Each structure stands twice: as structure tokens, then as C-alpha cells.
């Protein structure tokens, strides 16, 4: 048994139990912190989904940062048992729903409340067409709000998935991993898939997180617009953050 320490939020300093012999791949620490720094206050009071959850690292971070409820989806029963043990030990079980099974089948049963944020961390070899089908089901089966955000972890050489109802607005990249960032859109894209929100991007080297404030009014976790400026300040870490305008 090994452990990963939580480094953000009210659970900072607590440990998540992991098992190296089980088939899951946690998001590297730098990208994990960059993702939640980007999300910022939009995590507070939100409904969050951790798909391909493994031992629940991303969902537990969301809860640590104030998410009101998290749905975890994990196919492997052994991993799901360890996830449930982590949730009980951290006192989080009453704010979570663990669903065990193939994610495409699980998504045919929508939650009582749609998600504000979704994170998907499939295996490197998970076929892109199947991943795109998952994105489409998040819309078709009412898993996500009309302004929901989505992060998708992929191998750095893998293209961004394309699916009707999602607009790619940025990427977070470090080492062999990239997180593609999407927002729900009400537009219809037909069979051509997503429309990127711009062809030019601004790259940032460093681990600084998102800036700006969520819009006033609406529910507590109101999401800020995806288009934003990013200053360049290379620091040699190899981390890159790109947003489209």
C-alpha cells in the first residue's frame, strides 16, 4: 500500500491510500494542482464527477476544495472498494456517490442533479471513439448543466476528443500528460464534432492557476467565461497552459 498526500483545501495534509498493483493512473501532482487552480472558486458548492476515478484522487480534491457532492465512476470493483475506504476514512462518504461499472453503461442512468464539473482520466490506451461516445452521453443523458466544464486527461500525443455539445477552450500540459479543457455549449455541431473557440493560443510556462472571478449571481459555483488572457513568464518547469480566444 502507498499513499498520496492532499495538498489543497481543507483536507490538506491528509492521505489517500493507493495500491501500485491496481490498474489506474493518477494525474501527476503538477497537473492536478494546475487543474484545480484553473477551476478556482468554481469548484465551491459544485456537483463534480470523477470518471475513471481510480482511488478517487480528483473527486477527493474537489471535495477538499468545497464541492458539495461528487459522483465517482470506476469499473474495477477492487479499485472501487479502496475508493470507498478512502471516502469513509476521510469522512466524505455522505457527500459522494460511487458507481461501479463500465462508464458508458453507468452514464445511461442520470444523477438527481447534473454536474457543474466533470473530470475524465481514462487509460492511455482507451480508444478515442469510445471516449468521444462518453462525452456525448454526458450531454444526451443530462449528466451536465448547460454551462458545465470538462477536463479530459490524455497522453500528450493523443488528439483532443471531438463530440457534439463541447467546445475546446484550453489545455494544461506537463510531461507525458495533457488535460484538454472543454465547456458545454448549446450550439449543435452535427457529425463534425466540437468547434474550437479559436485558432490562436497564448502559452504560459509555469504553474500559475486561473485568474478572474466567477460571474455574480446564479448558483454559488457560477462558472467564469473560458476566454481569458494569460501572461507569459517562462520558468523552465516544462509546464504549459494554453487558452484559445
Amino acid at each position: 500500500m502507498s499513499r498520496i498526500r492532499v495538498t489543497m483545501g481543507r483536507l490538506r495534509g491528509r492521505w489517500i491510500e493507493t495500491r501500485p498493483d491496481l490498474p489506474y493512473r493518477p494525474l501527476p501532482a503538477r497537473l492536478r494542482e494546475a487543474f484545480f487552480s484553473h477551476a478556482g472558486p468554481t469548484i465551491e458548492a459544485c456537483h463534480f464527477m470523477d470518471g475513471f476515478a481510480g482511488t478517487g484522487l480528483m473527486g477527493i480534491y474537489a471535495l477538499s476544495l468545497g464541492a458539495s457532492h461528487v459522483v465517482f465512476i470506476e469499473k474495477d470493483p477492487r479499485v472501487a472498494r479502496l475508493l470507498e475506504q478512502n471516502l469513509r476514512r476521510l469522512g466524505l462518504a455522505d457527500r459522494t456517490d460511487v458507481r461501479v461499472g463500465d462508464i458508458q453503461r453507468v452514464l445511461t442512468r442520470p444523477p438527481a442533479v447534473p454536474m457543474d464539473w466533470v473530470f475524465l482520466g481514462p487509460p492511455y490506451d482507451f480508444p478515442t471513439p469510445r471516449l468521444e461516445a462518453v462525452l456525448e452521453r454526458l450531454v444526451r443523458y443530462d449528466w451536465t448543466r448547460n454551462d458545465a466544464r470538462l477536463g479530459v486527461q490524455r497522453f500528450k500525443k493523443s488528439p483532443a476528443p471531438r463530440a457534439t455539445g463541447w467546445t475546446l477552450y484550453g489545455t494544461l500540459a506537463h510531461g507525458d500528460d495533457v488535460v484538454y479543457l472543454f465547456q458545454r455549449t448549446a450550439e449543435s455541431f452535427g457529425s463534425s464534432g466540437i468547434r474550437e473557440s479559436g485558432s490562436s493560443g497564448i502559452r504560459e510556462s509555469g504553474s500559475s492557476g486561473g485568474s478572474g472571478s466567477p460571474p455574480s449571481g446564479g448558483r454559488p459555483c457560477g462558472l467564469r467565461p473560458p476566454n481569458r488572457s494569460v501572461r507569459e513568464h517562462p520558468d523552465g518547469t516544462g509546464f504549459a497552459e494554453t487558452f484559445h480566444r
Side-chain angles (χ1 to χ4, degrees):
M1 189 77 70
S2 59
R3 301 188 299 175
I4 297 176
R5 188 170 64 178
V6 179
T7 60
M8 304 176 77
R10 69 176 185 84
L11 295 175
R12 184 174 182 175
R14 302 289 298 275
W15 294 91
I16 299 171
E17 302 289 346
T18 67
R19 281 180 52 183
D21 59 309
L22 293 179
Y24 58 88
R25 177 176 51 87
L27 186 68
R30 182 176 292 276
L31 274 180
R32 183 167 63 247
E33 293 182 7
F35 173 80
F36 284 108
S37 293
H38 162 70
T42 67
I43 293 295
E44 296 176 15
C46 278
H47 288 257
F48 188 97
M49 190 190 99
D50 186 354
F52 305 91
T55 53
L57 191 61
M58 296 301 285
I60 289 172
Y61 260 69
L63 291 164
S64 181
L65 291 166
S68 63
H69 191 268
V70 174
V71 175
F72 297 90
I73 301 177
E74 171 53 46
K75 182 177 181 179
D76 191 315
R78 299 170 300 165
V79 181
R81 283 194 294 271
L82 184 55
L83 164 58
E84 290 172 333
Q85 291 170 12
N86 278 322
L87 296 175
R88 288 193 297 270
R89 184 173 49 80
L90 294 170
L92 301 174
D94 61 340
R95 296 163 57 197
T96 62
D97 176 11
V98 179
R99 301 194 182 191
V100 183
D102 178 81
I103 192 168
Q104 287 185 259
R105 289 197 296 270
V106 171
L107 290 179
T108 62
R109 305 188 302 275
V113 179
M115 302 295 111
D116 302 288
W117 266 105
V118 172
F119 186 86
L120 301 176
Y124 275 165
D125 60 354
F126 194 79
T128 297
R130 288 189 62 194
L131 181 58
E132 292 172 340
V134 170
L135 268 62
E136 291 177 353
R137 289 185 180 215
L138 289 171
V139 176
R140 184 190 315 164
Y141 291 100
D142 298 323
W143 272 83
T144 49
R145 295 185 185 272
N146 290 337
D147 60 351
R149 299 288 185 87
L150 164 69
V152 180
Q153 177 187 4
R154 296 295 275 164
F155 180 58
K156 65 181 179 181
K157 295 183 179 180
S158 299
R162 302 173 64 84
T164 299
W166 294 103
T167 296
L168 176 68
Y169 72 86
T171 61
L172 303 169
H174 181 70
D176 288 335
D177 291 272
V178 61
V179 174
Y180 293 111
L181 299 168
F182 297 84
Q183 183 165 25
R184 271 286 306 270
T185 175
E187 296 182 54
S188 176
F189 297 97
S191 60
S192 61
I194 63 168
R195 170 182 58 79
E196 292 191 6
S197 57
S199 58
S200 62
I202 303 174
R203 292 181 69 82
E204 176 183 0
S205 295
S207 57
S208 64
S211 59
S213 302
S216 59
R219 61 186 186 280
C221 56
L223 298 174
R224 59 178 174 266
N227 293 344
R228 64 184 180 90
S229 298
V230 182
R231 293 179 301 172
E232 293 188 16
H233 47 87
D235 66 357
T237 63
F239 177 76
E241 183 178 10
T242 304
F243 291 88
H244 308 290
R245 295 188 64 82

